[in-house]
Amino acid sequence: MSMIRVENLKKSFGDLEVIKDMSTVVEEKEVICVIGPSGSGKSTFLRCLNRLEDISGGHVYIEGTDITDPKVDINKVRQDVGMVFQQFNLFPHKTVLQNVTLAPIKLKKGDQKAAEKKAYELLDKVGLREKAKAYPGELSGGQKQRVAIARALAMDPKIMLFDEPTSALDPEMVGDVLDVMKQLAREGMTMVVVTHEMGFAAEMGDRVLFIDGGYIVEENVPKELFGNPQHERTKAFLSKVL
Amino acid sequence: MQTIINAFPYLMEGLQVTLYIFSIAIVLGFLIGLVVALLRLAPFKILNWIAKIFVDAIRGTPFIVQLFFIYFGLNSLGFFSLDNTTAGIVTVAINAGAYFSEIIRAGIQSIDKGQTEAARSLGLNSTQTMRHIILPQAFRRMLPTITNQAIISLKDTSLLSVIGVADLTQEGRIQASATFDAFNVYLILGIIYFIVIYLLSMLASFVERKFVLR
Ligand SMILES: Nc1ncnc2c1ncn2[C@@H]1O[C@H](COP(=O)(O)OP(=O)(O)O)[C@@H](O)[C@H]1O
Ligand SMILES: [Mg+2]
């Protein structure tokens, strides 16, 4: 069974048709990078995958469950789908440790000790164990984003969604965050990454999706998509960003 | 000086009544405010409307009219009989509740949408998100305005003397006429209110320093 199956996805905001018709499939352990011009609907596409946006049409299956079905327990599905945001969205009134343990303690009914042990392991993984007792306001952007990744991982998700995770960072912070993501990818996490980091897409992507005008214009392995784009719009976009 | 010494114990009794009424009314008022704020933000038009009508009715009428309506008006229907202290507590609570609800609503709406999205993306439901993520942040932000409203409500309790509640103001009125020293009695009365409100503000800024600086 595919981890994610998108069938004829449509999404409008009022009269604005942002996603006209998109279909794709993401298999287990795949890393899919999504690129495209600003405003083309990359974030909207990603946010439909965990139904942070109400879906206007079509179907999205997460591990076979159709999340467009109103009867589906979306909160349960979301526990398996971690998300990392451009603006981090850490909880400023909670310590780093509490940010990471909050969801497992509330949702997995596990005890606090076990949640904290796991949280420390994850903070180790992102290189921030010593910041466990700090508040988000005391962290740099790069540190915040790594905490946000640890927070998402604390629920043991099967899929991770990243929405331009490095776009709000100072250049010198980008590497640390990308390194964490690369490690995750190597460990076999299924990932969908909206990114402007073409280097990351080329190195880590199993496939790259180019989105424009409400459609997935082109979808291919990075080598082909970057080296031998088939569509004019892909060529035009790549000539601007490469 | 002697008049003040004689009047003082009575004023302290009145202060006790005032503080008793205030503390119950403010807690009730806060709970009313929270419920009304959540109704105003609920995804059901009818609930939004009911909450809005309530808030507009309270904001659009004088406190004293609300007090008379609840004490004389509702009692005159004969279904129940509220004593003046209870009617006073209910009026202060409802009045504060309407203003609190507006403060709480604004506080909730001031929290970045990304907070809700992060919480929901982890699998928290909307109640858990409200309780653990949105409200704690909103309250920190609202504390100064909440304190403000609490002070206004404390001052409003002095109007309960009009329906005969033996609060600080009522005791002051009695002592002013008993001692024939209205100047000094009302001066002391003012000073007592001032000190209570000052202490209330101190308490609020202490709480603020403890929780808000994040
Ligand atoms: N909540 C919303 N309400 C109305 N329009 C929106 C909303 N979110 C996004 N849009 C619009 O949808 C389009 C795609 O946005 P987005 O998915 O954020 O693009 P991208 O991530 O590719 O930059 C834009 O035109 C944007 O203005
Ligand atoms: Mg975007």
Side-chain angles (χ1 to χ4, degrees):
Chain A
M1 190 196 311
S2 309
M3 293 300 267
I4 306 174
R5 173 179 293 276
V6 179
E7 280 178 4
N8 306 107
L9 177 66
K10 291 175 188 46
K11 171 66 192 174
S12 306
F13 295 105
D15 289 340
L16 181 66
E17 227 184 342
V18 176
I19 297 179
K20 296 187 176 125
D21 187 357
M22 293 189 186
S23 300
T24 191
V25 175
V26 181
E27 301 297 343
E28 194 174 355
K29 301 191 178 194
E30 270 191 320
V31 175
I32 304 301
C33 292
V34 180
I35 63 171
S38 145
S40 59
K42 303 182 294 295
S43 299
T44 305
F45 168 75
L46 198 70
R47 292 155 59 84
C48 285
L49 300 184
N50 63 354
R51 228 177 75 188
L52 271 190
E53 299 292 353
D54 288 322
I55 293 165
S56 310
H59 295 275
V60 174
Y61 299 89
I62 301 294
E63 294 182 278
T65 305
D66 183 356
I67 62 168
T68 60
D69 179 349
K71 288 197 291 287
V72 154
D73 181 357
I74 191 66
N75 297 316
K76 194 92 194 119
V77 176
R78 283 176 181 154
Q79 294 185 22
D80 285 342
V81 186
M83 188 167 215
V84 174
F85 302 84
Q86 185 174 349
Q87 297 300 337
F88 329 126
N89 297 339
L90 291 182
F91 306 133
H93 60 304
K94 305 247 177 229
T95 63
V96 163
L97 188 66
Q98 289 167 336
N99 264 274
V100 180
T101 56
L102 179 96
I105 289 174
K106 299 298 171 206
L107 298 174
K108 298 220 147 153
K109 307 287 172 222
D111 66 316
Q112 184 163 342
K113 276 273 165 306
E116 286 184 356
K117 182 163 174 289
K118 167 120 214 243
Y120 275 111
E121 285 167 21
L122 289 168
L123 289 174
D124 265 336
K125 185 170 180 159
V126 300
L128 288 171
R129 170 185 274 266
E130 76 281 8
K131 295 289 184 191
K133 294 278 151 56
Y135 282 88
E138 303 165 270
L139 305 181
S140 72
Q143 292 171 331
K144 282 182 191 160
Q145 195 60 299
R146 284 182 282 151
V147 172
I149 294 173
R151 175 178 69 179
L153 291 174
M155 288 304 290
D156 280 322
K158 303 202 176 116
I159 300 166
M160 284 284 283
L161 309 176
F162 293 83
D163 192 357
E164 299 199 32
T166 59
S167 293
L169 302 180
D170 292 333
E172 72 270 20
M173 310 272 181
V174 171
D176 290 342
V177 172
L178 290 182
D179 285 345
V180 170
M181 292 169 61
K182 285 177 191 173
Q183 190 193 340
L184 259 186
R186 283 189 210 102
E187 289 168 7
M189 177 63 77
T190 307
M191 295 165 56
V192 181
V193 185
V194 174
T195 187
H196 287 306
E197 298 287 335
M198 298 302 154
F200 177 88
E203 182 187 345
M204 300 307 297
D206 292 302
R207 269 177 303 130
V208 178
L209 268 59
F210 172 68
I211 285 183
D212 195 13
Y215 300 95
I216 297 173
V217 175
E218 195 162 345
E219 170 173 357
N220 214 332
V221 295
K223 195 159 162 286
E224 282 299 310
L225 193 122
F226 290 123
N228 185 22
Q230 298 300 304
H231 292 258
E232 283 311 316
R233 278 194 281 179
T234 320
K235 287 179 196 163
F237 173 76
L238 289 176
S239 71
K240 268 184 246 155
V241 297
L242 288 184
Chain B
M1 197 59 205
Q2 194 53 46
T3 49
I4 299 307
I5 291 169
N6 291 340
F8 203 69
Y10 296 101
L11 295 181
M12 285 300 107
E13 267 176 42
L15 177 60
Q16 274 185 26
V17 173
T18 290
L19 292 179
Y20 166 77
I21 289 172
F22 171 71
S23 35
I24 297 180
I26 212 70
V27 171
L28 280 179
F30 191 80
L31 295 177
I32 294 171
L34 183 58
V35 170
V36 173
L38 294 175
L39 291 181
R40 277 209 76 169
L41 296 171
F44 301 102
K45 277 271 177 313
I46 306 173
L47 296 181
N48 306 161
W49 272 74
I50 293 171
K52 184 162 163 33
I53 289 170
F54 166 72
V55 171
D56 286 350
I58 297 296
R59 288 215 298 191
T61 53
F63 179 86
I64 198 88
V65 173
Q66 296 161 14
L67 182 65
F68 287 169
F69 178 77
I70 287 172
Y71 185 52
F72 300 119
L74 290 187
N75 271 346
S76 75
L77 295 178
F79 295 122
F80 46 74
S81 77
L82 298 173
D83 64 60
N84 55 2
T85 304
T86 309
I89 290 174
V90 169
T91 310
V92 175
I94 288 178
N95 181 276
Y99 289 99
F100 276 145
S101 78
E102 285 296 85
I103 297 169
I104 296 170
R105 180 174 70 113
I108 290 172
Q109 286 177 324
S110 78
I111 303 301
D112 183 60
K113 215 167 109 268
Q115 292 290 305
T116 303
E117 292 180 350
R120 297 305 303 271
S121 77
L122 288 165
L124 272 67
N125 64 30
S126 56
T127 311
Q128 292 165 325
T129 301
M130 194 48 95
R131 170 146 173 249
H132 300 294
I133 306 302
I134 307 303
L135 286 181
Q137 293 185 61
F139 284 142
R140 283 166 164 80
R141 214 170 272 189
M142 293 173 324
L143 207 53
T145 353
I146 286 187
T147 310
N148 234 350
Q149 179 54 45
I151 289 171
I152 292 172
S153 292
L154 179 69
K155 291 194 246 183
D156 281 347
T157 62
S158 77
L159 288 165
L160 305 189
S161 61
V162 174
I163 58 168
V165 174
D167 78 326
L168 181 54
T169 300
Q170 177 73 348
E171 289 296 342
R173 279 165 62 177
I174 293 168
Q175 291 308 312
S177 53
T179 60
F180 301 107
D181 188 0
F183 179 83
N184 280 313
V185 169
Y186 283 128
L187 181 65
I188 294 295
L189 192 63
I191 291 173
I192 296 174
Y193 271 113
F194 182 86
I195 291 172
V196 170
I197 287 169
Y198 184 76
L199 291 176
L200 194 62
S201 315
M202 296 271 286
L203 176 70
S205 47
F206 171 76
V207 174
E208 239 171 272
R209 269 199 307 280
K210 204 142 179 334
F211 293 106
V212 176
L213 287 182
R214 281 271 112 85

